[in-house]
């Protein structure tokens, strides 16, 4: 069957992850939340350690801890600590505790590098179901709250005047980011998830006239880069996750050059 081909599963996993990450990444770029995404992604390693220790699905552990981290940071920001300081402390602390926790799992064989940098070539049918189910959940949540999320991103005061609670929209976006992190950890790993979130959106931004166009173009770039990165990884015998991010970085460089040249013309 087609899904018995590991490269087919890898391509489908990359496309599904890119589809989930692109709309969430647009809000990360608009709200300047890159470090927030980083903290959530790093916390996923602690979730992996807990899920393995408790014999739970890795997706459940990564999602639970990433969501807990995101909610905690959201609630604590502005209460005596600068936002970037709090994010830095919590991100690296969670990553360190996760790596230490994994070292205690002597009865479980685990490749830490696979969770740090991804192991898309080892994606199973079950992983595909989780990735595409997560992508459907992300797209459903973002589509349902699109207008409210945009309004709250543009101006919290305008959102309140329109009867929208900005903190509620922040929590919904937090849930979306946690799902993306849990979905993407198998594909690009905890250390590269933020790149998958922000680089396609940043590359699409100069060419989009509307928020919807930016999200759509970011999705195309993310999915295309996943496919091209896997092809390049196979041809060059390089790590798949980092190679996908390298392709994304090249897309951003080209987009920046084209955008700069058109502004000078």
């Amino acid at each position: 069957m087609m899904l018995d081909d590991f490269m087919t599963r890898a391509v489908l996993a990359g496309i599904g992850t890119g589809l989930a990450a692109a709309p969430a990444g647009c809000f990360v770029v608009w709200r300047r939340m890159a470090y927030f995404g980083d903290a959530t992604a790093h916390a996923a390693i602690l979730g992996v350690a807990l899920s393995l220790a408790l014999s739970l699905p890795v997706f459940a552990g990564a999602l639970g801890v990433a969501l807990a981290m995101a909610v905690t940071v959201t609630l604590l920001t502005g209460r005596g600590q600068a936002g970037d300081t709090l994010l830095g402390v919590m991100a690296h602390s969670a990553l360190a505790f996760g790596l230490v926790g994994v070292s205690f799992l002597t009865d479980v064989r685990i490749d830490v590098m696979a969770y740090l940098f991804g192991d898309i070539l080892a994606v199973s049918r079950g992983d595909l179901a989780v990735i595409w189910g997560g992508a459907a959940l992300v797209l459903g949540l973002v589509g349902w709250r699109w207008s409210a999320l945009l309004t709250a991103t543009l101006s919290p005061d305008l959102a309140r005047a329109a009867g929208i609670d900005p903190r509620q929209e922040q929590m919904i976006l937090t849930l979306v980011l946690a799902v993306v992190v849990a979905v993407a950890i198998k594909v690009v790993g905890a250390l590269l998830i933020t790149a998958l979130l922000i680089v396609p959106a940043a590359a699409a931004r100069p060419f989009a006239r509307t928020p919807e166009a930016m999200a759509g173009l970011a999705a195309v770039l993310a999915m295309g880069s996943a496919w091209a990165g896997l092809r390049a990884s196979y041809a060059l015998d390089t790590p798949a996750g980092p190679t996908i991010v390298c392709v994304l970085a090249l897309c951003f460089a080209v987009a920046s050059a084209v955008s700069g040249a058109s502004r000078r013309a």
Side-chain angles (χ1 to χ4, degrees):
M1 293 179 66
M2 183 181 69
L3 289 182
D4 290 333
D5 184 345
F6 75 97
M7 279 300 292
T8 300
R9 293 196 300 272
V11 169
L12 289 174
I15 290 173
T17 304
L19 195 60
C26 289
F27 284 101
V28 169
V29 169
W30 291 329
R31 289 174 174 245
R32 300 181 181 179
M33 293 172 59
Y35 213 174
F36 183 92
D38 225 17
T40 308
H42 286 181
I45 292 295
L46 179 57
V48 170
L50 290 175
S51 62
L52 292 173
L54 299 173
S55 300
L56 297 172
V58 169
F59 175 82
L63 176 61
V65 174
L67 184 57
M69 166 67 81
V71 170
T72 301
V73 170
T74 299
L75 294 176
L76 292 181
T77 298
R79 298 187 179 183
Q81 292 285 351
D84 58 343
T85 301
L86 181 64
L87 285 168
V89 169
M90 297 193 69
H92 298 295
S93 297
L95 179 60
F97 276 110
L99 292 174
V100 170
V102 166
S103 70
F104 284 109
L105 300 176
T106 55
D107 297 332
V108 180
R109 294 185 62 186
I110 176 174
D111 181 7
V112 177
M113 297 297 286
Y115 290 103
L116 290 176
F117 297 103
D119 191 11
I120 191 173
L121 298 180
V123 166
S124 66
R125 291 188 181 193
D127 293 327
L128 274 181
V130 168
I131 288 169
W132 279 91
L137 177 59
V138 167
L139 292 176
L141 279 172
V142 172
W144 172 48
R145 303 302 300 172
W146 179 260
S147 179
L149 282 168
L150 277 179
T151 304
T153 298
L154 178 65
S155 171
D157 292 333
L158 180 62
R160 292 188 191 96
I164 297 169
D165 183 357
R167 291 190 67 84
Q168 176 184 304
E169 302 310 317
Q170 173 71 22
M171 286 298 179
I172 291 172
L173 184 58
T174 292
L175 173 60
V176 167
L177 287 175
V179 173
V180 171
V181 166
V183 162
I185 193 168
K186 184 78 173 182
V187 176
V188 293
L191 297 184
L192 301 176
I193 289 172
T194 308
L196 193 64
L197 281 167
I198 64 174
V199 179
R205 192 172 196 173
F207 306 102
R209 294 181 178 272
T210 66
E212 293 79 7
M214 179 172 162
L217 182 55
V220 171
L221 285 173
M223 293 186 292
S225 294
W227 176 81
L230 281 168
R231 290 289 299 269
S233 171
Y234 185 80
L236 301 174
D237 193 24
T238 53
T243 304
I244 290 171
V245 176
C246 287
V247 172
L248 283 169
L250 290 174
C251 289
F252 175 74
V254 171
S256 298
V258 171
S259 176
S262 65
R263 284 197 301 266
R264 288 192 297 270

